[in-house]
Amino acid sequence: MKKLIIILLTLFFAATVGKAQTPQPIYSFAKVLYPISWYKEQQKLWKAEIDKNQKNATAWYHYFRATRTLGKLDESDKRTSEEKEKALADVVAQMAKSIPNTAEYHHAEWILNGFKDMGKLSHLQKAEELDPNNPFLFPDLINIVEMTRDTTKRDAYCQRWFESADPSPGFLNYNYNVLAGLKQNAILITVGDNDTYPAWILQGAQNFRKDVTVINTSLILAKEYRDKLFKELGIAPITYDPFENFERFEKELVSALAANTKNKPVYVALTANKNIIEPHQQNLYLTGLAYEYCATTIDNMAALKKNFEHNYALDYLDKIFIADVSAGLVKNLNTNYTVPMIKLYQHYMQAGETQKAEQIKTLALKIAENTGCEKEVKNYFKK
């Protein structure tokens, strides 16, 4: 029996070591985030694959992505931004020589300078032609057609992305609830990948809440896109350059959108930063996973209750049965539920609805487990 255990342990450790040396795909750090040491190790592993075979397009692509991610996230790297860009450009130049007619090279060429130089768009188009169902391409393809407000093409890309099974189930669940809690024909301000793309995927692939206009604060910096979108919504154009005065742009965005002539209600996602939220705190009402902007007082507790009791699908917070590469980031995103849950707990306790109060408390504590807000949430419920 002891010999069997030793053999099994030997096989286990051999398998573990072998697996550790296998290079892994480098996803966007908005999809899955690893320690810097992991990216450094992957960079070396993918470079070793390139050294074995200079024509290995997959190795080149993920070596490029690892190099790019380290350039953005590695705080110990003291090179200037120009030096980092030069090093990344050198990688792409080597890709052009080694794997010229591949989707991997063309996408890397687009990522390098695409949004700075729309003349590079042909590279993204070529990447799609060569590998049309590559999920790594979909965010960029969606951005391009969204910026022309071609929502039909955007929906088609979202459908294909959804069918690839690449989108995070957790992000989709979260964004389903964000959209489900908004009034008809709402405008929703979002700030990143994980509160924007999943919402568009739900609209395009599931035909869910297509009445909502999702406005990402990064994309809207582009003047041609912003002017087109604002005209569509009945919003006065911004007269200054947001790139030159980004802080002012963030502070004035909510009120600019609220002045739309189509009487569309405006919401700010809880993922938004304080520069967007704080200037309008007196007019922003917590209704769930978003703040509703209103110049007059509203009963946001009624909206909060309705969302949690009727509109939101919350089972995924309690029971998770689907593997999700983004599980860690989803868990952090889900902490946005805790503040509205605490507000709801207070309401239930004051109303004498203790069973509902305990249910929401239990779920809030579960969400907060192993997150940065766990101690704070626990301390609140100990009061």
Side-chain angles (χ1 to χ4, degrees):
M1 185 65 178
K2 287 183 178 179
K3 288 183 178 180
L4 178 59
I5 292 173
I6 291 171
I7 291 171
L8 289 173
L9 287 173
T10 301
L11 290 172
F12 171 77
F13 286 120
T16 302
V17 171
K19 187 175 181 180
Q21 297 302 311
T22 302
Q24 302 297 311
I26 310 299
Y27 295 106
S28 162
F29 52 80
K31 182 179 179 67
V32 56
L33 181 62
Y34 293 102
I36 291 299
S37 58
W38 184 88
Y39 291 104
K40 289 181 177 179
E41 178 66 16
Q42 293 304 313
Q43 186 186 45
K44 291 177 183 177
L45 292 173
W46 283 117
K47 182 61 169 65
E49 294 298 311
I50 293 170
D51 292 340
K52 293 177 191 175
N53 177 11
Q54 288 287 318
K55 300 297 182 182
N56 187 334
T58 299
W60 273 112
Y61 186 62
H62 290 292
Y63 176 69
F64 163 79
R65 292 183 70 92
T67 302
R68 181 171 181 263
T69 300
L70 285 168
K72 288 180 174 293
L73 300 184
D74 185 7
E75 295 181 357
S76 68
D77 187 346
K78 301 306 179 184
R79 292 177 299 168
T80 64
S81 58
E82 290 77 13
E83 289 171 332
K84 293 176 184 178
E85 288 176 9
K86 171 69 165 57
L88 195 62
D90 289 344
V91 173
V92 176
Q94 293 173 56
M95 293 173 73
K97 293 178 181 178
S98 300
I99 53 166
N101 191 34
T102 63
E104 289 83 357
Y105 157 65
H106 284 290
H107 192 213
E109 189 76 67
W110 164 258
I111 291 172
L112 185 65
N113 286 309
F115 280 105
K116 297 177 186 176
D117 178 7
M118 291 304 290
K120 300 282 186 179
L121 182 59
S122 60
H123 286 287
L124 180 60
Q125 293 168 334
K126 187 64 176 178
E128 182 189 10
E129 177 188 324
L130 292 168
D131 193 3
N133 294 314
N134 183 349
F136 283 91
L137 302 179
F138 288 131
D140 293 335
L141 292 169
I142 288 170
N143 286 345
I144 291 300
V145 295
E146 167 62 19
M147 292 179 76
T148 63
R149 289 301 288 155
D150 189 339
T151 55
T152 300
K153 280 189 178 179
R154 188 193 71 194
D155 289 350
Y157 283 132
C158 286
Q159 179 71 44
R160 285 164 55 189
W161 195 1
F162 180 79
E163 290 174 353
S164 75
D166 176 73
S168 157
F171 289 148
L172 290 173
N173 277 308
Y174 179 90
N175 282 272
Y176 173 91
N177 287 338
V178 174
L179 292 173
L182 309 180
K183 290 179 179 177
Q184 195 70 17
N185 299 318
I187 294 171
L188 174 66
I189 300 172
T190 63
V191 295
D193 290 11
N194 299 334
D195 60 357
T196 305
Y197 294 128
W200 281 336
I201 291 171
L202 289 166
Q203 291 178 321
Q206 297 295 296
N207 204 32
F208 181 67
R209 292 308 307 268
K210 296 187 77 169
D211 58 291
V212 175
T213 302
V214 178
I215 297 182
N216 179 275
T217 54
S218 295
L219 287 183
I220 205 174
L221 291 174
K223 184 180 187 306
E224 186 175 350
Y225 169 60
R226 184 177 65 251
D227 288 349
K228 187 186 294 285
L229 184 58
F230 277 20
K231 183 178 181 180
E232 180 183 315
L233 298 172
I235 298 168
I238 291 175
T239 56
Y240 59 90
D241 186 349
F243 283 103
E244 295 179 0
N245 200 333
F246 186 61
E247 186 175 344
R248 176 186 173 186
F249 174 74
E250 286 190 316
K251 288 181 176 179
E252 295 179 356
L253 180 59
V254 175
S255 54
L257 297 179
N260 72 86
T261 59
K262 304 291 181 72
N263 295 317
K264 292 177 176 287
V266 173
Y267 289 83
V268 181
L270 294 195
T271 45
N273 61 52
K274 64 180 182 180
N275 288 339
I276 295 173
I277 294 171
E278 286 184 351
H280 308 283
Q281 279 185 329
Q282 71 278 12
N283 297 120
L284 290 175
Y285 295 86
L286 184 66
T287 58
L289 294 176
Y291 296 102
E292 180 180 355
Y293 178 88
C294 194
T296 59
T297 303
I298 64 171
D299 181 7
N300 63 309
M301 186 52 65
L304 196 61
K305 282 186 63 178
K306 182 180 179 182
N307 283 333
F308 275 89
E309 293 180 1
H310 302 290
N311 293 336
Y312 288 175
L314 300 173
D315 285 354
Y316 86 103
L317 296 171
D318 186 43
K319 300 287 190 300
I320 302 172
F321 301 112
I322 301 175
D324 190 342
V325 70
S326 301
L329 293 176
V330 169
K331 187 168 184 61
N332 289 331
L333 183 65
N334 286 342
T335 60
N336 284 317
Y337 284 100
T338 57
V339 171
M341 282 180 168
I342 286 173
K343 297 291 185 184
L344 205 51
Y345 172 83
Q346 293 170 340
H347 171 80
Y348 286 145
M349 290 298 289
Q350 290 171 1
E353 298 182 85
T354 55
Q355 185 176 356
K356 288 183 178 180
E358 285 303 312
Q359 288 173 343
I360 208 77
K361 171 186 172 181
T362 300
L363 191 52
L365 289 170
K366 182 165 188 174
I367 290 169
E369 285 177 0
N370 302 316
T371 68
C373 70
E374 181 175 13
K375 184 177 180 181
E376 186 178 354
V377 174
K378 280 185 174 179
N379 286 341
Y380 171 80
F381 286 114
K382 286 179 181 177
K383 294 178 183 178

